[in-house]
Amino acid sequence: MEEFLGRSALPVSRVYSNLAGFVEVYGSAWAMMTKPGDYARMVREYCEDAMRAGIRYAEMHITTGARPFPCLMEAVEAASKERDIVMRFIVDVPRTFPIEVGFALLEGANGVPDVVGIGLGGAERGYPPEPFTPLFDEARSRGLRSMPHAGEDAGPESIRGALDALKAERIMHGVRAVDDPQLLAELSERKIPLAVCPTSNVMLGVATSLEEHPLRELWDAGITVSVNTDDPGYFGCDLVGEYAIAGRLLNLDREGYGRLALNSVESSFAPEGLKDAMRGDIADWVRRQ
């Protein structure tokens, strides 16, 4: 991030305390990723960190486009060279951009088998999901899975919009579902997974502290919860640390950790053979207690 931001001719603030401020810093770094090799480096260095945390499979949100080089293919090629981790990509559409940008990003990913889904990221407040319905309809018609961010710094209405308008199959964050008991029950009944990021939520003021994080309420409601990092490079977190946080907040024993890990497998869109292998390895690990 520092190297990318250092390319800017103007000073860029590194300070943020909420999602909107973070998106501004994130966007500034992204705007400077204009040289061939930038996306490959990002993927390569992410994989190095991920493998140290024991990650076998990851779905990375990536915003491509508006570059004088094929940045998505560069990222895909870098991921394909990794032998100890399988990477897939999610086309991440900034919700503050016009929908036409989203269609351009979608077109750039057309026919790339390593792209498994479409996401919607960025500041939520004032940017509801519903205007992106045509984009997500088209993406789903091409076989991509719907994985928007919702219910992070906007309320349950954002999650409702993601479900009804975007036909979300997994919701990134979704922690504000606890503000609507009926929605919480629906997420549980329909088995819509929530990809929860405790450290991120505290860093961006979504939760006032880890002790006040709604992870326990989501878990007790029967939600298919997984823990994730979003965004490890900025927040200095890794998946091992997020599991440790979840273990403390949920008072997990070995079987509980196994359930949490299995949730991440079932929430993913990994190849079925890989999912079977991970299911088996988790079951073996739990039995070793």
Side-chain angles (χ1 to χ4, degrees):
M1 181 186 74
E2 284 300 323
E3 287 187 35
F4 293 149
L5 290 177
R7 297 174 182 174
S8 174
L10 300 173
V12 179
S13 173
R14 274 74 158 171
V15 179
Y16 50 83
S17 59
N18 55 30
L19 178 60
F22 169 70
V23 169
E24 192 171 322
V25 176
Y26 179 97
S28 297
W30 174 76
M32 294 296 108
M33 292 176 63
T34 56
K35 296 182 179 180
D38 287 347
Y39 280 77
R41 176 185 175 184
M42 177 183 67
V43 169
R44 189 169 55 250
E45 293 189 2
Y46 169 77
C47 287
E48 290 172 1
D49 293 340
M51 286 186 289
R52 278 195 292 270
I55 293 170
R56 300 255 302 273
Y57 173 82
E59 291 171 355
M60 174 186 280
H61 289 256
I62 186 167
T63 303
T64 54
R67 297 293 185 271
F69 61 95
C71 47
L72 175 58
M73 296 312 299
E74 179 183 285
V76 168
E77 183 180 357
S80 72
K81 294 177 180 177
E82 300 294 336
R83 293 293 172 261
D84 298 318
I85 182 172
V86 176
M87 290 284 298
R88 293 294 183 266
F89 296 93
I90 302 163
V91 175
D92 195 44
V93 178
R95 65 205 311 150
T96 54
F97 287 13
I99 193 172
E100 291 78 11
V101 173
F103 274 106
L105 296 175
L106 179 61
E107 200 57 41
N110 194 34
V112 181
D114 298 75
V115 175
V116 296
I118 183 169
L120 187 67
E124 275 188 88
R125 295 182 187 180
Y127 299 95
E130 286 82 356
F132 293 89
T133 300
L135 173 63
F136 274 70
D137 286 347
E138 177 61 24
R140 287 185 295 105
S141 76
R142 299 185 185 192
L144 298 185
R145 318 306 284 262
S146 174
M147 304 178 235
H149 284 60
E152 185 180 5
D153 80 331
E157 69 282 356
S158 180
I159 301 171
R160 171 58 60 196
L163 290 173
D164 293 349
L166 308 186
K167 305 297 187 288
E169 297 172 78
R170 183 176 76 216
I171 291 177
M172 318 312 291
H173 297 288
V175 293
R176 295 291 301 278
V178 298
D179 297 339
D180 184 336
Q182 185 175 351
L183 177 61
L184 199 62
E186 180 180 338
L187 290 169
S188 177
E189 182 180 348
R190 293 177 57 187
K191 301 189 184 306
I192 302 292
L194 300 185
V196 177
C197 311
T199 296
S200 171
N201 292 157
V202 173
M203 294 284 289
L204 300 183
V206 175
T208 55
S209 67
L210 287 174
E211 288 67 31
E212 297 298 319
H213 194 280
L215 181 61
R216 164 63 76 178
E217 196 170 345
L218 295 169
W219 181 264
D220 289 346
I223 305 295
T224 304
V225 174
S226 64
V227 288
N228 306 262
T229 47
D230 188 26
D231 191 299
Y234 288 87
F235 302 147
C237 57
D238 65 15
L239 199 59
V240 174
E242 299 304 293
Y243 267 83
I245 290 167
R248 179 165 60 84
L249 295 180
L250 301 176
N251 194 29
L252 296 179
D253 57 10
R254 197 175 184 90
E255 188 173 341
Y257 277 115
R259 173 186 161 191
L260 186 63
L262 189 61
N263 282 353
S264 70
V265 175
E266 304 302 347
S267 300
S268 79
F269 300 104
E272 198 57 39
L274 178 57
K275 291 176 82 166
D276 281 341
M278 290 191 289
R279 290 179 187 118
D281 288 345
I282 291 167
D284 289 345
W285 182 85
V286 172
R287 281 195 293 268
R288 289 202 302 270
Q289 59 182 320

